[in-house]
Amino acid sequence: MVFGRIFCSQLNVLEWRKECDFELRNNLDVWRIFIPDFIGRITDEIHLVNDKELSKSDSFIQEEDKIRFLLGKIYLRKILSSYLKIAPEEVVFSFTEFNKPYLDAYPNLNFNLSHSGDYVIIGLSNRWSVGVDIEVMNTKNDLFSMIYNTMSVVEVPSILNSDTPRLMFYKHWTRKEALLKGVGIGLIDDLKGFSVCDGFNFVPSELSNFTSTLNVRNFIMDDEYSVSIAYDTTIRVIRFYEFNTV
C-alpha cells in the first residue's frame, strides 16, 4: 500500500475578526457563527434554503438539530456570496459521489461546514481542499467505548494515559473528521486504521491526496468545543472571522 503523510499540531487562535475583505488569495479563512444570535432570522431568510434541504430539515427529531442545519445552509450561502460577489440566491450546490458540496461555476473555491452545539464552523480556501469539524466535548458520552471503537492502537494508550482524556479524545476525533472531509471522503468505518497524533503520521494515500503533506490542526474554543481544520501545506495564512449580526 502507498502511504501519504499528514502533519498534526495544536493551534492557538488569538482573535476572531469581525471585518473581512472577502478576498481569498493563498489563505484559508475560517468562520464561526454563534447560532443563538441568528435563530430569529430564520423566518426572514428561509427562502435561501431549497426544497430538498427543507425536506431534510423536517426529518430531524430535535428542534435544535433542525435549527443548526438550516442556519448552516443559510449562512454558508451568504458567506460564499460575499466572496463571489453574487446574490446568496445564486449560490447553487452540486455534489460529489461522496455527497460533498461544490460549486460548478466556481471550481477553484473550496469550502466545508460543520456544526455542533451553539456554533457553525465554515472553512474556505482558493484552489486547495479544506475540511473542518467541530464537536461539543460532551461529558455524557461513553468516552471509553468511543476511544476503543474509533482510535488506533497508537492513539488509545496516549489518550487514556493523558491527564485530560476527554479533551485528547475529541482532539483526535475532530482531526480525523476534518481530514476525511477535507479529502472529500466523509466519515468511514475504519477510523482505527490511521492515526492523527501530534507530528507526522503516515496514512493511506487516499486520505492525504498524496500530492503534498496535509496539515491537520486542532484548537479549543470557549473551553467546551474541539475544532479541527485540514488543509494543504501550501496555505501559509489562516484568518479567523466571526459572522457579525450587524
Side-chain angles (χ1 to χ4, degrees):
M1 178 184 290
V2 178
F3 288 90
R5 293 200 310 175
I6 59 172
F7 184 78
C8 298
S9 61
Q10 287 295 105
L11 181 64
N12 185 23
V13 180
L14 299 178
E15 179 186 12
W16 291 85
R17 295 183 253 182
K18 296 184 183 296
E19 299 295 329
C20 179
D21 59 9
F22 295 105
E23 294 292 338
L24 272 179
R25 300 173 184 87
N26 294 329
N27 49 274
L28 166 64
D29 284 0
V30 179
W31 288 83
R32 73 175 183 181
I33 299 159
F34 185 58
I35 291 172
D37 285 346
F38 297 91
I39 292 176
R41 297 189 177 189
I42 291 181
T43 301
D44 292 336
E45 297 179 326
I46 199 67
H47 64 281
L48 296 179
V49 181
N50 64 35
D51 291 341
K52 185 177 181 180
E53 292 163 345
L54 280 174
S55 178
K56 182 175 180 178
S57 73
D58 289 334
S59 68
F60 290 106
I61 297 174
Q62 301 296 327
E63 183 67 15
E64 56 266 33
D65 293 330
K66 178 178 181 178
I67 289 171
R68 275 191 290 267
F69 175 81
L70 290 174
L71 284 176
K73 297 299 182 184
I74 289 169
Y75 286 96
L76 175 59
R77 284 185 169 91
K78 290 174 75 72
I79 288 172
L80 286 171
S81 72
S82 294
Y83 284 93
L84 297 170
K85 311 300 189 287
I86 61 176
E89 292 83 355
E90 297 178 66
V91 177
V92 179
F93 300 121
S94 297
F95 295 88
T96 69
E97 61 176 308
F98 297 106
N99 207 36
K100 184 175 182 178
Y102 67 95
L103 302 176
D104 259 332
Y106 305 94
N108 287 331
L109 179 57
N110 293 282
F111 57 90
N112 196 228
L113 176 149
S114 180
H115 47 68
S116 183
D118 285 335
Y119 282 99
V120 174
I121 295 286
I122 296 172
L124 304 99
S125 69
N126 190 28
R127 293 192 290 166
W128 297 284
S129 294
V130 58
V132 299
D133 189 58
I134 178 173
E135 298 290 343
V136 178
M137 293 185 284
N138 195 333
T139 57
K140 297 179 182 178
N141 289 336
D142 182 355
L143 182 64
F144 291 101
S145 175
M146 292 190 298
I147 291 172
Y148 283 109
N149 287 330
T150 61
M151 297 294 125
S152 73
V153 294
V154 174
E155 293 168 321
V156 170
S158 68
I159 293 172
L160 292 180
N161 293 328
S162 166
D163 292 335
T164 55
R166 185 167 298 277
L167 186 150
M168 285 287 289
F169 166 76
Y170 279 102
K171 177 177 80 171
H172 286 72
W173 172 266
T174 57
R175 282 179 178 179
K176 292 191 178 198
E177 285 228 30
L179 171 62
L180 292 169
K181 293 170 72 178
V183 298
I185 296 176
L187 199 58
I188 60 175
D189 293 331
D190 188 21
L191 290 176
K192 302 171 69 171
F194 64 99
S195 300
V196 287
C197 301
D198 288 348
F200 283 106
N201 299 263
F202 287 95
V203 297
S205 59
E206 61 267 25
L207 301 186
S208 68
N209 285 336
F210 204 63
T211 54
S212 64
T213 302
L214 293 183
N215 280 323
V216 185
R217 307 187 73 183
N218 174 263
F219 60 92
I220 303 302
M221 192 173 73
D222 294 354
D223 294 327
E224 59 178 317
Y225 293 89
S226 181
V227 184
S228 288
I229 54 178
Y231 59 96
D232 196 280
T233 51
T234 310
I235 295 173
R236 300 298 186 187
V237 177
I238 309 174
R239 307 187 301 182
F240 293 89
Y241 295 103
E242 186 153 35
F243 199 86
N244 217 323
T245 56
V246 178

